[in-house]
């Protein structure tokens, strides 16, 4: 997986002119146009746009592309919000990655979807794919990985970090797979899986580095040295609370509580830990034993 990730980065860097600038804009405009066509006719009137491998073999090659423009919902409010969010996500990703890598991300998701439809055709019989819902959802996972703490307005009212919406997105993927398997609808079960596979190829290194960081942090937090240090800090805090000060000069007895502006230091030449005020740090007899 890491080799694929590195190959993608190398390709994007060596072919900066690859791809379609503003690709997501054309996807959104095409989807809106198909929706308007449905309103003036019916959904069955645009069924010829769905991807069906059997019909592609008969010469209907446009189906390799036009299935992307079929709307995922016919509710006008939901569609407007969906198209706006898709455009927002796609624009941010292209700005972050550049046209080459973003186009590669989107197109690889499309190719994997087409391959899934072809496999389904030979494995379980003719079937049709309408729309690129999971390809677009995988874009959202990509955005959440890049900007986990970005805040968006849920329902245009509730501010929420995008990483929590991505978690909900992951749950939706899992439920989609489970419900499709329960219906024995293997094509619908595979579509979210290949979308996640595409996401993993592009973010494998980032995910492994994040997991490695959390593993190292947990190991450090539970290490013997850390536990001892935390215990020593707690004991010191308890001692300070009991005696009412933190530093006390071993010569004159002044404390940081009584003289908050006075500086206190520890002498490195004394045996043990002995604190002195700034007046006596260089003017005292060194301790030779504890």
């Amino acid at each position: 997986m890491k080799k694929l990730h590195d190959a993608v980065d190398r390709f994007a860097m060596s072919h900066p002119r690859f791809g379609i600038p503003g690709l997501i804009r054309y996807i959104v405009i095409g989807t809106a146009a198909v929706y308007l066509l449905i309103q003036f006719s019916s959904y069955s009137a645009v069924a010829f746009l769905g991807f069906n491998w059997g019909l592609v073999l008969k010469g209907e090659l446009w189906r390799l592309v036009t299935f992307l423009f079929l709307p995922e919902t016919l509710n006008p409010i939901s569609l407007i919000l969906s198209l706006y969010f898709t455009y927002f996500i796609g624009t941010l990703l292209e700005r972050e990655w550049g046209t080459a890598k973003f186009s590669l991300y989107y197109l690889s998701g499309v190719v994997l979807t087409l391959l899934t439809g072809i496999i389904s055709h030979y494995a379980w019989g003719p079937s049709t794919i309408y729309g690129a819902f999971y390809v677009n959802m995988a874009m959202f996972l990509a955005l959440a990985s890049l900007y986990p703490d970005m805040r968006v307005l849920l329902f245009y009212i509730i501010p929420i970090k995008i990483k929590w919406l991505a978690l909900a997105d992951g749950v939706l993927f899992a439920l989609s797979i489970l419900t499709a398997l329960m219906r024995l609808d293997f094509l619908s079960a595979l579509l979210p899986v290949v979308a996640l596979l595409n996401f993993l190829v592009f973010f494998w290194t980032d995910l492994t580095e994040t997991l490695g960081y959390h593993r190292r942090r947990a190991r450090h937090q539970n290490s013997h040295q850390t536990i001892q240090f935390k215990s020593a800090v707690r004991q010191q805090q308890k001692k300070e609370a009991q005696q009412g000060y933190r530093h006390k000069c071993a010569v004159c007895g002044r404390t940081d509580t009584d003289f908050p502006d006075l500086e206190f230091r520890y002498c490195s030449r004394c045996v043990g830990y002995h604190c002195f005020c700034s007046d006596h740090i260089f003017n005292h007899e060194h301790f030779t034993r504890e």
Side-chain angles (χ1 to χ4, degrees), residues 65-265:
V65 177
T66 54
F67 80 98
L68 296 172
F69 303 115
L70 289 169
E72 61 195 55
T73 178
L74 295 180
N75 182 289
I77 302 300
S78 298
L79 182 66
I80 290 173
L81 293 177
S82 174
L83 292 180
Y84 169 77
F85 208 46
T86 299
Y87 178 77
F88 172 74
I89 293 171
T91 303
L92 275 181
L93 286 178
E94 184 171 2
R95 187 184 306 161
E96 174 70 22
W97 279 342
T99 298
K101 188 171 182 178
F102 173 71
S103 296
L104 194 61
Y105 183 74
Y106 196 87
L107 293 177
S108 62
V110 171
V111 169
L112 286 174
T113 300
L114 294 175
L115 290 175
T116 303
I118 294 171
I119 293 171
S120 175
H121 175 84
Y122 291 111
W124 304 295
S127 56
T128 305
I129 298 175
Y130 298 101
F133 174 73
Y134 291 110
V135 176
N136 295 333
M137 291 292 277
M139 281 201 315
F140 178 70
L141 289 178
L143 181 68
S145 297
L146 292 173
Y147 304 106
D149 294 320
M150 174 189 288
R151 292 183 182 273
V152 295
L153 291 178
L154 185 63
F155 306 119
Y156 288 86
I157 299 174
I158 307 171
I160 186 172
K161 288 186 177 181
I162 202 168
K163 62 183 177 182
W164 304 124
L165 291 179
L167 181 61
D169 191 13
V171 172
L172 177 62
F173 269 70
L175 289 176
S176 299
I177 295 170
L178 289 175
T179 53
L181 289 175
M182 292 174 64
R183 299 194 311 268
L184 299 181
D185 184 356
F186 299 108
L187 174 60
S188 297
L190 279 176
L191 288 175
V193 171
V194 297
L196 287 173
L197 178 62
N198 186 48
F199 167 76
L200 288 175
V201 168
F202 278 75
F203 284 91
W204 181 256
T205 299
D206 297 325
L207 292 174
T208 53
E209 287 179 354
T210 300
L211 290 174
Y213 165 75
H214 287 296
R215 254 196 318 267
R216 290 191 300 271
R217 189 171 185 272
R219 193 159 51 240
H220 173 72
Q221 291 291 333
N222 295 318
S223 67
H224 180 67
Q225 293 88 343
T226 302
I227 293 174
Q228 278 190 325
F229 175 76
K230 290 181 177 179
S231 176
V233 170
R234 285 194 295 268
Q235 291 177 1
Q236 178 64 23
Q237 290 174 342
K238 183 178 179 181
K239 180 180 178 181
E240 292 172 9
Q242 291 175 344
Q243 63 189 14
Y245 59 85
R246 183 176 185 181
H247 301 298
K248 181 179 180 180
C249 180
V251 176
C252 63
R254 287 182 294 182
T255 66
D256 56 349
T257 302
D258 298 327
F259 300 89
D261 296 329
L262 193 61
E263 291 186 6
F264 292 85
R265 298 179 186 177

